[in-house]
Amino acid sequence: MIPIELLIAQTINGLVYASILFLVSSGLTMIYGIMNILNLAHGSLYMLGAYFAITIIMKLAGGSPWGYLAAFILAPTAVMAVGAAIEVGLLKPIYGKPEEYQLLLTFGLILIFDEVVKLIWGPAYINFPNPGRFLGSIEVAGFEFPVYRLLLIALGFSVAWLLWFLLSKTTLGKKMRAAAADREIVSALGVSVPLLFTGAFMLGSFLSGLGGVAAGPLYTASPGMGIDIIVNSFAVIVIGGMGSILGALVGSLIVGLTRAYAIVIYPAIELALVYLIMVIVLLVRPVGLFGKPEEVRR
């Protein structure tokens, strides 16, 4: 019998990972849902977020507490600028062509970004200064938890609410959803669909970069770190449903908590259990828990 205190601790750990996973997978699923682009290089933007953050924290702020605050603002913004360059300079010219073009291009970007990171920051792992030294920790169920981890949980749920508000309650969000449903009609109404797409890709890139900043102090920065997160993000959006922000949130919670509980219950099946859940969901509901049957896009 597993002590209840340990389960509570693992629940918190699972929520921390789920929050980071949601930041990345929400951007990935939003880009797909609005633009119909499956961006394989999304994990590389997460990696860039972590490296931009360590540069800001150490080089510009000398490891001070203000460096973390600056990193959470500036690093995702820098990643967003990279995303804008990718969408305008590389993806836009191949819109309307077979999806293989997008997959090959974004896969190539993974290789390019990995080499760029090695050239600029080197191949070694880079550790972040411990945010716990100025944020401290609190006791939960007999375990000491850094306040930073609890703040990440709050960040994940806050971003989920903000995305819901943006897409459901604002004019911009309604235009994005309309463009996803029928590009020709939205364009005929005088809305710049290319500009909407660029904005959607930039927002998705910002979220991925934000995930990298959040994860850096927990997992360090290393070349290729985007591979693990993008694989799990695909599991999330398959479980939750492609193009659904709610699905990304629920899928992230399922993956994060499943991995956390499996570590203490039966570690040997930790990773396999996530993909078993994914297979079961696909067998029962091929479009995911909150996905909608794909319609022909115009």
Side-chain angles (χ1 to χ4, degrees):
M1 184 69 178
I2 299 174
I4 187 64
E5 294 83 2
L6 182 57
L7 286 178
I8 293 174
Q10 286 303 101
T11 298
I12 294 176
N13 288 330
L15 290 174
V16 171
Y17 183 67
S19 296
I20 294 171
L21 197 54
F22 172 73
L23 293 175
V24 180
S25 60
S26 61
L28 181 66
T29 198
M30 187 177 67
I31 289 173
Y32 179 82
I34 294 175
M35 304 172 64
N36 200 30
I37 293 176
L38 198 57
N39 180 20
L40 298 181
H42 199 69
S44 297
L45 299 176
Y46 161 88
M47 175 182 66
L48 287 179
Y51 275 99
F52 287 157
I54 192 63
T55 300
I56 293 169
I57 293 169
M58 297 305 297
K59 301 295 184 182
L60 301 183
S64 71
W66 295 108
Y68 272 94
L69 181 60
F72 268 91
I73 298 172
L74 298 178
T77 303
V79 175
M80 182 172 65
V82 173
I86 292 173
E87 196 276 335
V88 174
L90 298 176
L91 287 173
K92 189 164 290 186
I94 61 173
Y95 285 162
K97 295 187 178 181
E99 291 183 354
E100 290 82 357
Y101 285 75
Q102 299 172 2
L103 295 176
L104 288 173
L105 173 61
T106 54
F107 177 75
L109 287 174
I110 296 175
L111 306 178
I112 293 172
F113 281 129
D114 281 352
E115 294 304 314
V116 168
V117 162
K118 291 177 184 177
L119 287 173
I120 297 175
W121 288 279
Y125 284 52
I126 301 178
N127 293 317
F128 280 63
N130 182 11
R133 60 193 174 91
F134 50 82
L135 288 176
S137 61
I138 61 174
E139 184 176 328
V140 179
F143 293 88
E144 288 289 329
F145 277 94
V147 172
Y148 179 76
R149 288 177 174 259
L150 302 180
L151 290 176
L152 290 187
I153 297 175
L155 175 66
F157 283 100
S158 297
V159 169
W161 183 85
L162 288 172
L163 286 176
W164 168 82
F165 185 83
L166 170 67
L167 295 175
S168 301
K169 301 298 181 180
T170 68
T171 301
L172 176 61
K174 292 175 182 178
K175 288 180 179 178
M176 286 182 173
R177 290 189 290 116
D182 197 316
R183 303 174 186 178
E184 291 183 359
I185 290 181
V186 171
S187 181
L189 293 174
V191 177
S192 175
V193 173
L195 188 60
L196 283 179
F197 281 6
T198 300
F201 199 90
M202 289 174 66
L203 179 56
S205 301
F206 180 92
L207 291 170
S208 187
L210 183 61
V213 178
L218 301 180
Y219 308 119
T220 75
S222 63
M225 65 183 289
I227 298 298
D228 179 66
I229 197 72
I230 197 65
V231 170
N232 285 317
S233 292
F234 278 124
V236 164
I237 62 177
V238 168
I239 292 171
M242 299 288 281
S244 170
I245 297 298
L246 177 59
L249 177 61
V250 173
S252 296
L253 290 172
I254 290 173
V255 172
L257 293 173
T258 296
R259 293 190 62 176
Y261 294 146
I263 287 174
V264 297
I265 296 173
Y266 195 43
I269 65 169
E270 174 204 346
L271 292 176
L273 191 58
V274 171
Y275 299 108
L276 177 61
I277 293 173
M278 184 177 70
V279 170
I280 293 173
V281 170
L282 286 176
L283 289 175
V284 176
R285 185 172 169 79
V287 296
L289 297 176
F290 298 93
K292 297 180 181 179
E294 186 174 354
E295 298 177 357
V296 178
R297 295 180 183 249
R298 297 182 180 180

